[in-house]
Amino acid sequence: MSDGPALSNLSTETRHFDPPAELAENANVTAAAYDEAKADRLVFWETQARRLEWTTEWDEPLQWEPPFAKWFVGGELNASVNCVDRHVEAGNGDRVAIHWEGEPGDTRTVTYADLHREVCKAANALTELGVSQGDRVMIYLPMIPEAVVAMLACARLGAPHSVVFGGFSSDALRNRIDDTGAKVMITADGGYRRGKASALKPAVDESIEGTDVDKVLVVRRTGEEVPWTEGRDLWWHDLVDGQPETHEAQAFDSENPLFILYTSGTTAKPKGILHTTGGYLTQAAYTHHAVFDLKPETDIFWCTADIGWVTGHSYIVYGPLANGATQVMYEGTPDTPHKGRFWELVQKYRVTIMYTAPTTIRTFMKWGDDIPDGFDLSSLRLLGSVGEPINPEAWMWYREHIGHDKAPIVDTWWQTETGAIMVSPLPGVTSTKPGSAQVPLPGISVDVVDESGSPVGNGGGGYLVISEPWPAMLRGIWGDDQRYKDTYWSRFADMYFAGDGAKKDDDGDLWLLGRVDDVMNISGHRISTTEVESALVSHPKVAEAAVVGASDPTTGQAIVAFVILRGSASEAAEDDPDAGEALIQELRQHVSKEIGPIAKPRQVMLVPELPKTRSGKIMRRLLKDLAEKRELGDVTTLNDSTVMDAIGDKVAAGSSGED
Ligand code: WT7
């Protein structure tokens, strides 16, 4: 490693967009919030905590024994009451909570009064199954309203839920059951994905053998036949539907566990990230109010994430419902039955705020502009992005083709571990820059430091850290305090290290540069994958790119790029190998020109797909194996295991432009 900066700062971006005047004038949060938080961070968070209904007021806002935090100590509340009952009591029972759309086109409209009734019945049902405070409950469901109901019913009983994404295998499910020690599982016969009924119950049966699970509650969604174990398996409609429609909720301590959610590290055993009640709900609700500028009476919010990820927990369930929002929930994939499905839903429900991931945006870029252009998207007034760095060109495409140059984009940086958004523009305040997550939210202390933990100045690159405890922070890794300390708090003294590289531009705005594990070292220069990928995506023919550092006899590592072309460019390259070769050279030159010769890829491979995790993150590790012509490593977290074969075939057959 060189003694140079922790990460080179290669690209510059000069475009920026001021908030629309009308939005700024009526914004939920103004620049004053930064001053308030700076004056007294804890008082600021106490003010935000008062957005919730507490049965008992807290004694002190924070108890901090690094790295263990307690927020709103001594306070008591019920998360489910905050998300449901209080809206009904305020007279908003008729407001739609969820416009649900099944993939086959069936729909359900769930008002807050409906949600209240269903959550109460489900809480009574779980009580009948013996669930009470502290018991862990597994949830393995498709994107149907019962998923929300099940989570809120658990929260109502003070029983932490652990939701497992429906696309995970029975092995993944079993590991999580074992780790939580859950006794009850809530699942469904199946759900609809890509036009087909996809079964869930057989995976559940496999996963629970030999575990402590002795009750399985099964929602009927597809109507397909399922394997059944009498005495253990119960239909949701048999047990829940007949329950009393009210349920007296008990208040729980602010630090009562609310959920355990597993993050799948690419190789190591998944970590059970523990979140508790008062602090988590405070920050989820505040950030949803501040970052999305939500007006509960008029906005239609749509977060496209699955409920099995933290984005679904915080911005489908807890944040929006605590704020009394009306939202869209969609069961299926964006290309079923056609590639305009998302835009058809925006048009149908007049969605005003949309929150999605860069991988989805780049997929739409690949499919072509004409698809969204064919729908009326004029209702959209605010757009959000989360999950990966968003390339400036993907940001611009989102702005032009989805936001029609009027809706501001908020690029929100956070993690399963942080529980809620940490770094983001405020839509009524910040002049947004394509590709930058920009500034820590009011009350959040984030910095970029060098190897030794000293803050880098503007223009410098390094490691993203969080320097003060925050309300929605993880309270630990379930059952493993030592791993919690080692993973997050050992790299720098008294600072949480997030694992991400970042830089500060000349204005002090933050640019996320990807996981530091992915950083490349080219002739002693540490170069982030993100900047090279963004340079590639800035070429008009490129939809998506992933780069890796492959070992190289001269430079230590050399950059190998995997590129997906946009619709028509892809066909042209496919039809004419010479044109493909010329384009490869053009792309190498393009990177060299955009960010400098040091970043010029040694090879560029045109590929049909990229390997991604189930939550849509590019798995560079596998591409590195391919670039170094090694046996592929563990592919079990891949979303689609055939993708690597398709890329491997392309790579074996084609030229890559190596000098
Ligand atoms: C990692 C956390 C946060 C909910 C979904 C992902 C990356 C997330 C951004 C962003 C650049 C981002 C980071 C982070 N990430 N948002 N706006 N810009 N990178 O949650 O699965 O826990 O992943 O996702 O690398 O550490 P997660």
Side-chain angles (χ1 to χ4, degrees):
M1 286 270 154
S2 74
D3 296 332
L7 261 178
S8 302
N9 176 2
L10 296 177
S11 55
T12 46
E13 173 64 62
T14 51
R15 293 169 288 195
H16 62 93
F17 301 92
D18 289 338
E22 199 199 316
L23 197 154
E25 239 162 72
N26 302 303
N28 284 353
V29 176
T30 66
Y34 295 109
D35 301 331
E36 275 166 45
K38 199 174 284 166
D40 192 327
R41 200 169 61 86
L42 295 181
V43 168
F44 171 82
W45 282 118
E46 289 187 286
T47 307
Q48 305 319 323
R50 293 202 176 88
R51 307 173 56 75
L52 305 177
E53 190 178 287
W54 295 77
T55 312
T56 310
E57 168 98 8
W58 54 92
D59 305 315
E60 47 177 335
L62 171 68
Q63 225 174 60
W64 179 223
E65 286 165 25
F68 296 98
K70 290 183 176 161
W71 280 86
F72 310 116
V73 186
E76 291 185 328
L77 76 170
N78 185 294
S80 168
V81 167
N82 271 282
C83 290
V84 187
D85 304 38
R86 64 176 177 140
H87 306 311
V88 178
E89 279 155 24
N92 295 320
D94 291 339
R95 182 185 296 164
V96 174
I98 301 171
H99 289 293
W100 178 80
E101 180 99 6
E103 195 186 74
D106 49 336
T107 62
R108 283 161 69 181
T109 307
V110 183
T111 64
Y112 275 93
D114 296 334
L115 191 60
H116 180 250
R117 205 171 46 244
E118 294 310 313
V119 170
C120 286
K121 287 197 288 186
N124 289 324
L126 289 176
T127 304
E128 199 177 306
L129 294 182
V131 174
S132 65
Q133 181 181 7
D135 294 338
R136 282 79 64 201
V137 175
M138 304 302 299
I139 298 178
Y140 185 64
L141 283 170
M143 285 286 286
I144 55 178
E146 283 79 4
V148 179
V149 170
M151 289 165 75
L152 292 172
C154 291
R156 198 172 186 91
L157 300 175
H161 52 71
S162 187
V163 182
V164 178
F165 172 55
F168 275 127
S169 66
S170 59
D171 279 348
L173 187 54
R174 173 196 292 270
N175 290 337
R176 288 154 175 76
I177 297 169
D178 278 339
D179 198 62
T180 57
K183 297 198 183 77
V184 173
M185 159 81 71
I186 305 176
T187 187
D189 48 3
Y192 289 96
R193 278 195 92 69
R194 299 221 146 76
K196 289 198 301 273
S198 146
L200 287 174
K201 180 68 167 45
V204 169
D205 287 5
E206 246 173 69
S207 71
I208 62 182
E209 232 168 88
T211 69
D212 293 343
V213 171
D214 57 14
K215 291 288 174 219
V216 180
L217 194 52
V218 188
V219 178
R220 184 143 71 202
R221 164 65 184 134
T222 62
E224 302 224 307
E225 210 161 302
V226 290
W228 202 257
T229 304
E230 277 314 323
R232 183 196 72 187
D233 298 349
L234 298 147
W235 283 113
W236 175 283
H237 54 262
D238 285 340
L239 184 72
V240 176
D241 285 1
Q243 295 287 337
E245 295 183 352
T246 56
H247 173 269
E248 188 81 37
Q250 181 191 336
F252 297 102
D253 189 273
S254 178
E255 285 299 330
N256 196 62
L258 183 62
F259 64 86
I260 303 164
L261 184 60
Y262 287 82
T263 58
S264 41
T266 40
T267 45
K269 173 173 175 266
K271 301 183 281 278
I273 304 301
L274 173 65
H275 284 286
T276 60
T277 309
Y280 169 80
L281 199 59
T282 295
Q283 195 179 330
Y286 173 68
T287 53
H288 182 254
H289 163 84
V291 173
F292 298 108
D293 190 44
L294 181 98
K295 315 283 197 241
E297 297 82 15
T298 49
D299 275 318
I300 308 290
F301 179 77
W302 184 20
C303 167
T304 69
D306 191 278
I307 222 147
W309 311 122
V310 74
T311 310
H313 283 54
S314 302
Y315 299 105
I316 294 176
V317 183
Y318 292 107
L321 296 177
N323 290 335
T326 296
Q327 61 182 322
V328 170
M329 180 177 180
Y330 172 56
E331 178 186 34
T333 54
D335 55 355
T336 307
H338 56 80
K339 290 178 172 155
R341 188 69 191 273
F342 270 24
W343 316 121
E344 184 178 75
L345 292 178
V346 168
Q347 173 179 291
K348 173 175 176 183
Y349 292 106
R350 308 292 300 153
V351 172
T352 59
I353 306 168
M354 184 162 181
Y355 192 29
T356 194
T359 177
T360 311
I361 297 164
R362 293 185 304 244
T363 301
F364 289 125
M365 285 170 71
K366 179 172 75 179
W367 288 346
D369 307 349
D370 49 321
I371 294 172
D373 291 354
F375 294 90
D376 176 7
L377 307 182
S378 60
S379 55
L380 288 169
R381 70 177 191 93
L382 184 62
L383 302 173
S385 172
V386 63
E388 281 181 293
I390 178 164
N391 320 101
E393 264 348 285
W395 195 102
M396 288 303 298
W397 186 92
Y398 197 24
R399 179 177 166 86
E400 282 164 24
H401 293 278
I402 308 303
H404 295 169
D405 288 322
K406 69 177 172 68
I409 297 174
V410 287
D411 175 13
T412 63
W413 178 87
W414 58 297
Q415 306 177 294
T416 304
E417 291 88 340
T418 71
I421 298 171
M422 303 291 279
V423 179
S424 167
L426 285 179
V429 179
T430 316
S431 181
T432 55
K433 296 177 184 171
S436 172
Q438 295 192 294
V439 283
L441 288 180
I444 298 296
S445 310
V446 165
D447 214 338
V448 181
V449 301
D450 64 17
E451 298 283 349
S452 64
S454 309
V456 304
N458 289 356
Y463 304 93
L464 191 79
V465 295
I466 308 173
S467 53
E468 298 284 354
W470 63 102
M473 69 187 276
L474 75 167
R475 298 305 196 261
I477 294 177
W478 182 252
D480 200 343
D481 283 351
Q482 193 56 47
R483 192 173 178 204
Y484 168 63
K485 290 182 192 163
D486 294 345
T487 309
Y488 304 107
W489 300 91
S490 64
R491 178 68 180 79
F492 301 107
D494 287 338
M495 286 190 284
Y496 171 92
F497 173 47
D500 285 332
K503 68 176 187 185
K504 279 183 170 177
D505 68 15
D506 293 338
D507 302 325
D509 283 323
L510 294 167
W511 294 74
L512 274 299
L513 297 178
R515 309 293 297 173
V516 295
D517 307 341
D518 290 333
V519 167
M520 305 175 289
N521 191 321
I522 317 297
S523 307
H525 296 274
R526 270 177 285 230
I527 295 178
S528 86
T529 52
T530 303
E531 290 194 303
V532 181
E533 288 164 3
S534 289
L536 285 161
V537 176
S538 75
H539 189 283
K541 290 186 176 157
V542 175
E544 180 152 32
V547 305
V548 297
S551 58
D552 184 276
T554 3
T555 53
Q557 284 190 332
I559 299 176
V560 177
F562 297 80
V563 168
I564 301 180
L565 298 176
R566 295 207 198 186
S568 53
S570 160
E571 285 153 32
E574 196 67 43
D575 294 346
D576 176 0
D578 289 343
E581 179 59 32
L583 180 58
I584 285 169
Q585 296 307 339
E586 193 180 318
L587 293 176
R588 295 178 66 223
Q589 286 308 330
H590 179 74
V591 175
S592 180
K593 183 170 93 355
E594 287 290 305
I595 55 180
I598 183 76
K600 183 177 176 180
R602 181 183 75 188
Q603 288 161 274
V604 174
M605 325 249 199
L606 304 180
V607 294
E609 292 291 343
L610 290 171
K612 291 188 181 162
T613 64
R614 290 180 178 83
S615 66
K617 288 185 173 44
I618 296 171
M619 290 180 76
R620 292 179 187 75
R621 181 173 56 78
L622 294 178
L623 293 173
K624 195 169 154 128
D625 288 347
L626 206 62
E628 296 184 334
K629 304 192 172 60
R630 260 197 312 270
E631 287 249 337
L632 288 187
D634 183 13
V635 293
T636 51
T637 51
L638 258 184
N639 184 37
D640 173 358
S641 57
T642 61
V643 164
M644 285 313 288
D645 300 338
I647 302 172
D649 292 349
K650 273 299 258 211
V651 170
S655 156
S656 63
E658 197 167 348
D659 287 325

